[in-house]
Amino acid sequence: MEVAVIKYNAGNVQSVLYAMERLGAQATLTDDWETIQKADKVIFPGQGEASTAMKYLKERKLDQLIRSLKQPFFGICLGLQLLCEHSEEYDTSCLGIFPIQVKKFPPLDKVPHIGWNNLQNLQSPLLKGLDESAYVYYVHSYYATVHPKYTIATSHYINDFSALLQRDNYYAMQAHPEKSSVTGEKILTNFLNL
Amino acid sequence: MLTKRIIPCLDVKEGRTVKGVNFVELRDAGDPVELGKIYADEGADELVFLDITATVEKRKTLVDLVTKVAKTVNIPFTVGGGISSVEDIKALLNAGADKISINSAAVRNPEIVDQMAREFGSQCIVVAIDTKNLDGLDFVHTHGGRKATLLQTQKWANEVTDRGAGEILLTSMDHDGVKNGFANEITGELSSMLSIPVIASGGAGTMQHFKEVFTAGKADAALAASIFHFKEIAIPDLKQYLAEQGINVRR
């Protein structure tokens, strides 16, 4: 199986590649259209800031490519936020796969939300084998609001937010599966098995 | 619900784990990569690697270590110890480190915190503060706690938060290595005052000390070294104890 990890100006992609290696999957970091189109699975990682990332994707027309893909696609962290409609981070128009707003956590507790938090309301084959005792590792200041149709798990920090999303072949996760110990490995394995 | 984090700290020198008592007497405690993986499997929430190598080869050895750790370990890890240039930070993040901790470099040049936040994001910046109480006032110390500065700990913590730090790693030099409990007072003061998480370090001797630093000390995470390395406390036992005491931990 060929896994393409989309190369763009977002940080910490190395950990995703290493996680794939640990799971025995062949993963390539690439921004080449053909390689991405041909891949069995596509991962869209990311850490960083939304407007700079969107600008880079548009300049290279990777936004059009992402919208056109048909194979299982997995957005991680900033990758989830960029798949939404709009982010409050520098008032950024995003890819619009999910008709969802990305908002900044109100300063009612410490922000960013850093650490391990559990998944709730799990409902997807991507989360097979997991329950509400599953903890995942978060580092983020912005969150996707909960959508009745596309949210497949929630977490709670200050308010409920979308922990994972799914629409057709597009999956996304706010926490870092590559850093979430055995729970993260289970989610990545489920994704590879889709 | 967000959990309290338990973080083993591995002091490394030229690729091997060491731990000092009050930062002076060093003992070998094994291979950092293997040890890190054992801790991750046991349920550690994060790892910190503190490099005390002081040679010109430092950067290369540290990048090699970070690469090995990132390949092996499936939880987040922080790297620190004498890191002072943005180029070094970039090399370590690219090798797979999740966060970089800076200490003396930030005291020398506070602007580096702003620069890191702009370039890499606050989420990967841990500002380590070594604090010591002198006649009732808390002062920042550098060089492994040996050198006093005129910076007051509370003021400095506020400043680095404003400059873009993502977390504070607070080590009490009065408590480090003596196993009499964490510095709950100053930890609680900083944790209540700041809008970012505080990791408490220095003084862990018993499981009760962890409970106290999470309750009285209001810490978001607690870091310890020798008690884990010499198996005085096992992480699964510690987490079970904390859960029984009503503290929310990941198990």
Side-chain angles (χ1 to χ4, degrees):
Chain A
M1 177 170 29
E2 291 290 328
V3 180
V5 178
I6 298 182
K7 185 178 166 184
Y8 68 118
N9 60 336
N12 214 0
V13 289
Q14 200 56 55
S15 306
V16 173
L17 294 171
Y18 288 147
M20 286 292 117
E21 205 175 292
R22 285 197 293 274
L23 296 174
Q26 179 83 32
T28 317
L29 183 65
T30 176
D31 57 2
D32 176 59
W33 271 59
E34 209 184 310
T35 312
I36 295 170
Q37 277 170 329
K38 277 190 184 160
D40 301 298
K41 302 273 157 55
V42 178
I43 295 182
F44 183 42
Q47 201 172 73
E49 183 266 302
S51 71
T52 318
M54 275 311 298
K55 188 164 171 274
Y56 184 99
L57 293 172
K58 280 183 184 165
E59 277 166 8
R60 285 157 185 79
K61 298 196 163 46
L62 288 167
D63 57 330
Q64 296 174 22
L65 173 68
I66 290 169
R67 286 195 194 96
S68 72
L69 294 172
K70 297 285 173 262
Q71 66 273 61
F73 182 99
F74 196 15
I76 294 170
C77 192
L78 180 66
L80 172 142
Q81 298 180 6
L82 296 178
L83 290 173
C84 293
E85 188 78 50
H86 178 268
S87 172
E88 275 185 4
E89 193 172 20
Y90 295 102
D91 190 17
T92 305
S93 278
C94 299
L95 294 160
I97 301 291
F98 302 107
I100 291 174
Q101 301 297 313
V102 174
K103 295 185 170 175
K104 183 158 191 175
F105 280 118
L108 301 171
D109 204 334
K110 295 183 179 185
V111 176
H113 171 217
I114 298 185
W116 297 79
N117 205 330
N118 65 319
L119 300 175
Q120 293 168 304
N121 306 305
L122 297 76
Q123 40 183 321
S124 167
L126 187 67
L127 302 170
K128 198 173 73 184
L130 299 174
D131 58 29
E132 299 208 340
S133 64
Y135 281 87
V136 288
Y137 185 78
Y138 283 101
V139 187
H140 62 133
S141 301
Y142 292 81
Y143 68 94
T145 52
V146 176
H147 190 279
K149 193 165 166 196
Y150 302 123
T151 300
I152 54 170
T154 61
S155 282
H156 185 87
Y157 186 69
I158 302 178
N159 44 241
D160 285 338
F161 63 90
S162 288
L164 288 107
L165 296 167
Q166 185 200 343
R167 180 179 185 177
D168 306 323
N169 57 317
Y170 294 94
Y171 296 80
M173 175 166 178
Q174 178 60 61
H176 287 273
E178 76 280 13
K179 290 288 165 182
S180 294
S181 189
V182 286
T183 298
E185 283 165 1
K186 198 166 273 176
I187 295 170
L188 288 172
T189 305
N190 288 344
F191 173 71
L192 294 174
N193 290 337
L194 283 172
Chain B
M1 207 170 141
L2 185 64
T3 60
K4 300 288 189 184
R5 288 172 277 158
I6 301 293
I7 308 177
C9 177
L10 290 78
D11 290 5
V12 291
K13 189 179 183 184
E14 282 145 21
R16 297 282 295 170
T17 310
V18 288
K19 173 61 192 175
V21 177
N22 270 339
F23 288 2
V24 180
E25 205 181 280
L26 302 173
R27 288 161 74 182
D28 196 342
D31 170 26
V33 183
E34 284 304 308
L35 192 55
K37 185 172 184 329
I38 290 168
Y39 286 139
D41 292 346
E42 280 186 351
D45 296 305
E46 279 182 55
L47 300 171
V48 169
F49 293 86
L50 197 58
D51 185 66
I52 54 168
T53 311
T55 63
V56 284
E57 291 290 290
K58 182 185 174 78
R59 177 158 157 191
K60 193 183 163 295
T61 4
L62 196 50
V63 167
D64 286 350
L65 176 67
V66 166
T67 306
K68 283 187 211 149
V69 174
K71 281 187 178 179
T72 313
V73 167
N74 58 10
I75 58 170
F77 68 97
T78 302
V79 182
I83 299 167
S84 57
S85 79
V86 173
E87 293 75 54
D88 285 355
I89 291 162
K90 197 170 202 167
L92 294 167
L93 289 172
N94 285 341
D98 297 286
K99 310 176 196 181
I100 303 296
S101 135
I102 51 167
N103 190 336
S104 306
V107 174
R108 272 198 307 274
N109 170 26
E111 181 62 30
I112 195 175
V113 180
D114 307 63
Q115 209 179 335
M116 279 178 75
R118 267 198 310 272
E119 198 151 338
F120 312 112
S122 293
Q123 83 289 336
C124 62
I125 313 168
V126 179
V127 174
I129 302 177
D130 292 344
T131 184
K132 207 180 222 172
N133 191 284
L134 303 172
D135 295 328
L137 292 174
D138 300 294
F139 287 96
V140 175
H141 283 60
T142 58
H143 299 81
R146 292 189 305 274
K147 222 169 132 182
T149 72
L150 293 174
L151 285 170
Q152 262 196 275
T153 303
Q154 291 84 344
K155 195 166 164 273
W156 177 237
N158 260 325
E159 180 178 339
V160 295
T161 304
D162 291 344
R163 287 179 180 274
E167 285 175 284
I168 300 289
L169 168 56
L170 181 72
T171 303
S172 164
M173 304 314 299
D174 304 308
H175 296 69
D176 196 62
V178 289
K179 297 187 179 178
N180 275 337
F182 291 91
N184 297 322
E185 205 171 315
I186 177 84
T187 305
E189 194 185 334
L190 290 197
S191 191
S192 307
M193 175 181 85
L194 299 174
S195 59
I196 59 173
V198 175
I199 304 162
S201 156
T206 66
M207 297 204 271
Q208 199 185 336
H209 292 153
F210 285 88
K211 177 193 169 189
E212 287 162 2
V213 79
F214 289 137
T215 51
K218 301 185 181 71
D220 298 283
L223 178 144
S226 55
I227 53 152
F228 295 137
H229 302 333
F230 298 108
K231 299 196 177 352
E232 288 161 38
I233 293 178
I235 291 168
D237 298 344
L238 174 58
K239 287 203 161 178
Q240 179 166 350
Y241 165 82
L242 290 171
E244 283 164 8
Q245 299 293 314
I247 290 165
N248 198 20
V249 287
R250 175 182 72 105
R251 288 205 286 162

